Amino acid sequence: MRDKPSRTALKVAYNILSLSTKPGADAFLPAGIGDATARLLVSSGAASERMIRVCRSRWLLRLYERLDRVMPGQFVGFGQRKAFCEREVRRAIADGATQVLVLGAGYDTLCWRLAPEFPDVRFFEIDHPATAAVKARGIAAMGRPDNLQLIAEDLAQRALEDVLKGTSSWDRDAITVAVAEGLLMYLPEPAVRELFTQLAGYGGPGTRLAFTHVGTRDDGRPDAGPRSRLTLWSLELMGEPWRWSLRPERLDDFLSELGWRRVPAPEGAPTGGGIEHFAIAQRGRPAARVETGVASSSP
Ligand SMILES: C[S@@+](CC[C@H](N)C(=O)[O-])C[C@H]1O[C@@H](n2cnc3c(N)ncnc32)[C@H](O)[C@@H]1O
């Protein structure tokens, strides 16, 4: 990844702004996400007021809807994945989580919006230093809640364990909900495995991870939609190549190898959007199958 603020993070933020003007989108988008994103982009200097107006114009909405042919469903999918992550974070807090850790946060506003609502929960964000610096400027201008901490680190270079060890308010025993939204495809496989392995060491059995991932094509490369090769090539040109993908049918084995088990999504909730798959994992290996077909439980 180049040492420049992430362009894909900006793309997601523009997408969310435009989607928030689409009739009916407020039925599933998290409340207040459009306004908070606009404020963050302007106060961080990532976008001008004029650009915000463009993002909220009808013609940009039409353009995005046309461009959706490149990654079918992804325009609405970005909003669905925001809704998925927020629902899972709220669900985990209701179930006892006292720490929220958002990895590769970009211009996401979940922590900033939820921190005042849950003053007893500690919120942490980690992003690559080039993007984290811009985000920190914006959050400072908007007012950083005391229970929100922004951490600048390259997760492809430095192990999560080391990053969190140096964060004084991080409590490794607290029940935690971690979010990796639109991040894992940018990390090399060893870094992804390391991340899951280390997260599995935190916070007791209640600790959860909500994440999104892309599938793998028959040629072994990430599946970026019907124009996959062109899309992957353009991501390389942007300096943000996709490096990791996983066939959805391999997910259970992958999680189990790394100390996690999949948690079923609530009934009726989308399990993907556009070209991405959404998943929730909880610490602990899945119940082992025994010959009788009766499952035995493991911690
Ligand atoms: C597509 S953006 C998604 C941003 C945000 N999660 C969202 O969905 O709005 C990918 C994010 O991952 C971050 N990222 C990519 N590689 C990273 C790395 N090696 N270490 C930390 N963050 C990284 C980028 O800086 C960027 O903010």
Side-chain angles (χ1 to χ4, degrees):
M1 181 173 181
R2 285 183 198 164
D3 239 9
K4 286 186 185 162
S6 165
R7 284 201 259 175
T8 57
L10 197 54
K11 181 183 180 314
V12 177
Y14 285 165
N15 190 125
I16 291 299
L17 272 180
S18 182
L19 183 60
S20 65
T21 68
K22 184 179 164 73
D26 53 353
F28 67 92
L29 279 177
I33 194 171
D35 288 345
T37 305
R39 272 186 72 190
L40 176 61
L41 293 183
V42 172
S43 57
S44 63
S48 61
E49 295 271 12
R50 186 163 171 273
M51 190 60 204
I52 302 299
R53 282 196 296 278
V54 170
C55 286
R56 286 176 152 163
S57 64
R58 272 208 292 200
W59 73 261
L60 196 76
L61 176 58
R62 278 201 296 270
L63 181 67
Y64 267 133
E65 288 182 328
R66 287 196 172 191
L67 290 177
D68 211 36
R69 268 176 271 167
V70 179
M71 285 191 192
Q74 194 62 35
F75 176 60
V76 170
F78 281 131
Q80 288 170 327
R81 84 181 197 196
K82 294 263 165 237
F84 158 76
C85 293
E86 181 151 336
R87 187 195 64 226
E88 288 312 316
V89 167
R90 288 181 178 279
R91 192 154 72 120
I93 292 174
D95 289 348
T98 55
Q99 275 185 158
V100 178
L101 172 64
V102 177
L103 304 162
Y107 301 104
D108 181 68
T109 58
L110 180 140
C111 289
W112 182 79
R113 286 179 293 107
L114 266 57
E117 188 181 330
F118 298 102
D120 298 332
V121 175
R122 288 183 304 283
F123 290 80
F124 301 85
E125 288 189 358
I126 303 180
D127 205 338
H128 189 277
T131 309
V134 181
K135 171 93 172 262
R137 203 161 56 220
I139 293 289
M142 290 161 78
R144 181 177 64 81
D146 289 342
N147 55 338
L148 166 60
Q149 190 165 346
L150 308 184
I151 303 165
E153 207 57 71
D154 183 343
L155 291 169
Q157 299 294 328
R158 195 154 172 232
L160 183 66
E161 176 83 11
D162 290 345
V163 178
L164 294 174
K165 249 189 220 158
T167 305
S168 57
S169 47
W170 173 260
D171 175 359
R172 63 169 299 136
D173 297 322
I175 297 179
T176 300
V177 53
V179 175
E181 177 196 354
L183 165 73
L184 300 177
M185 58 279 244
Y186 297 97
L187 301 180
E189 171 139 359
V192 174
R193 288 183 165 267
E194 189 72 20
L195 202 80
F196 275 81
T197 304
Q198 292 182 3
L199 277 169
Y202 297 129
T207 285
R208 286 183 203 159
L209 173 61
F211 62 99
T212 68
H213 74 98
V214 292
T216 306
R217 292 172 79 90
D218 288 342
D219 62 6
R221 303 194 69 203
D223 186 355
R227 291 169 180 80
S228 200
R229 285 174 65 164
L230 181 67
T231 307
L232 293 178
W233 177 72
S234 66
L235 285 159
E236 292 229 6
L237 279 188
M238 284 165 76
E240 298 181 51
W242 280 4
R243 293 163 159 159
W244 184 75
S245 60
L246 184 73
R247 289 182 201 280
E249 62 272 21
R250 277 265 309 122
L251 183 60
D252 287 330
D253 288 344
F254 172 83
L255 290 174
S256 155
E257 282 164 30
L258 302 173
W260 296 86
R261 63 169 176 269
R262 191 162 12 160
V263 175
E267 214 174 301
T271 54
I275 58 160
E276 279 179 277
H277 307 276
F278 306 161
I280 312 146
Q282 182 148 344
R283 262 189 55 166
R285 291 199 156 74
R289 283 183 196 289
V290 294
E291 272 182 352
T292 56
V294 178
S296 72
S297 63
S298 64

